[in-house]
Amino acid sequence: MRYLTKLFLILLLVPTIMPAQEIIPMTASTEQSQPPRRQKIDGIVATVGDYIILDSDIDKSILEMKSQSRDMPDFSRCEILGKLMEDRLYAHQAIQDSIVVSDAQVRERMSKQIDYMVEQLGDMQKVVEYFRKDSEDDFRTDMFEIVKMGMLTQEMTSKIVDDVQITPEEVRTFFNKIPEADRPIFGAEMEVAQIVIAPKISDADKQAAINRLKEIKKEVQEGASFFGKAVLYTDDKASSSTGGFYKMNRKTQFVKEFKDVAFSLQEGEISEPFETEYGYHIIMVEKIRGQELELRHILISPKVSDQAMKEAREKAMLIKKRIDDKEITFSEAAKMMSDQKETRNNGGVLINPRTQDTRFELTKMDPSLYREVSNLKDNEVSYPVLDEEQGKKTFKLYTVTNRYDEHVADYAKDYTKIKALALKEKQFEAVGKWFDEKIKTTYVKVNGEYRDCKFTNDWMKKI
């Protein structure tokens, strides 16, 4: 698109290091392979609103890109400057629109990134040396600003595209304008169904979990840190490192009971213990921003006895035998006997969380799920699989309900995927329009040799 730099450049320069990325340590040989750099004065090369961009910022971005990809394409300094200017415009406008990112949120995300860097490189000193900083304090100060800029950029981008909707007619128009030879090819997919059997938990064990949460709530009300308690005690491993933090709105994929309690609370209020399929929770709401909540929660899953686990597995095996013997279909068994509400009503069919469709592309399927279903034959039911999610142990039976070979996009069969592509294009157009409008009303200046750059956005405001 005209208004965006190359997609790969955008992804590489997002200042969030993801777990799948790998930092490539600089060795003596790689340092020697770099051409000698001329000494130059670190001057201001561009200004966007209240933000300046230094020549060294471009150097830092190049180093960041090298740290995230072994096979980095060559991007010109002009392309990188264009991306940095986009980030500054997002951040500048986020502040104008009163979008707030708290220092605590920035520190939480920065801590995760630094922990990952240390894990990759060995220790903090190596991280500091790798990013060519004089001290850990200098590195953390610089990192804080980078992370904050990225979070403001993400918040502003979300604000631009969140309200973009698309109609079925727009989806049809989008698909029809793609030349037949250029239509996307979708990889092999499958639909999967499951039956979930949860071991029975005694009333005494349930009450023990409730009592522990009540104790934690009392301790927090007396001055203890909810963050610290969540780190120490929550069974939700996905949020333990951030002190149980989540940001959510009414469309966010949380179970109904959790949403109902969260949206009933005022800022600073802590809920009473309540139950979901994962166990017992307490929630503390930190911020209410319109229809969006920032909250922390602690999950405690009641302990399960060995006898209860044995009985649950035996029940799962009996259900498998009844299906194998044709006494009952998998769908009927799921509706009558599965302990998971979300999939029980539709015969156990799983919804892909990435696409909200029932199909899973094999190359993008969660590895743990792929491992259990990839070798299943048509109509075959797996043996019970022990699964642990957010501290709760269950047994699952899987079956593959449909398979789809790799194929060229078909409007009727692939409507959900085509709709997602059409929506993405419309969101790009909304971002492009936003850039055109904001560049005209924001102070922008490009200095020196960079004035000759051919940017994808009209930063020079040429008429």
Side-chain angles (χ1 to χ4, degrees), residues 31-132:
E31 288 283 4
Q32 292 171 2
S33 67
Q34 301 297 320
R37 294 171 60 186
R38 293 176 296 169
Q39 291 290 98
K40 59 185 178 183
I41 298 174
D42 186 16
I44 297 173
V45 297
T47 304
V48 179
D50 296 327
Y51 291 92
I52 62 171
I53 302 172
L54 303 176
D55 212 17
S56 61
D57 290 328
I58 300 177
D59 294 330
K60 292 174 189 174
S61 295
I62 293 172
L63 184 62
E64 176 77 5
M65 292 166 69
K66 288 178 179 177
S67 77
Q68 297 187 44
S69 176
R70 292 182 184 273
D71 304 313
M72 184 191 74
D74 290 329
F75 291 110
S76 70
R77 295 180 74 83
C78 286
E79 289 175 306
I80 295 173
L81 175 59
K83 177 60 176 66
L84 293 177
M85 292 174 72
E86 289 178 6
D87 288 343
R88 270 59 177 179
L89 183 59
Y90 279 128
H92 171 77
Q93 194 60 45
I95 293 172
Q96 304 305 306
D97 290 359
S98 300
I99 293 175
V100 177
V101 175
S102 71
D103 287 354
Q105 290 174 278
V106 176
R107 282 193 292 270
E108 282 182 11
R109 181 170 296 186
M110 183 178 76
S111 178
K112 282 186 175 181
Q113 295 185 10
I114 292 176
D115 287 348
Y116 176 72
M117 294 176 190
V118 170
E119 181 183 341
Q120 289 288 301
L121 293 178
D123 59 53
M124 190 67 206
Q125 184 56 38
K126 290 180 180 179
V127 174
V128 172
E129 292 171 359
Y130 180 76
F131 285 95
R132 299 175 184 174

Side-chain angles (χ1 to χ4, degrees), residues 260-267 269-271 283-285 288:
D260 288 345
V261 173
F263 282 98
S264 71
L265 299 174
Q266 301 299 314
E267 282 191 8
E269 187 178 0
I270 304 176
S271 74
I283 293 174
M284 181 179 73
V285 171
I288 299 176

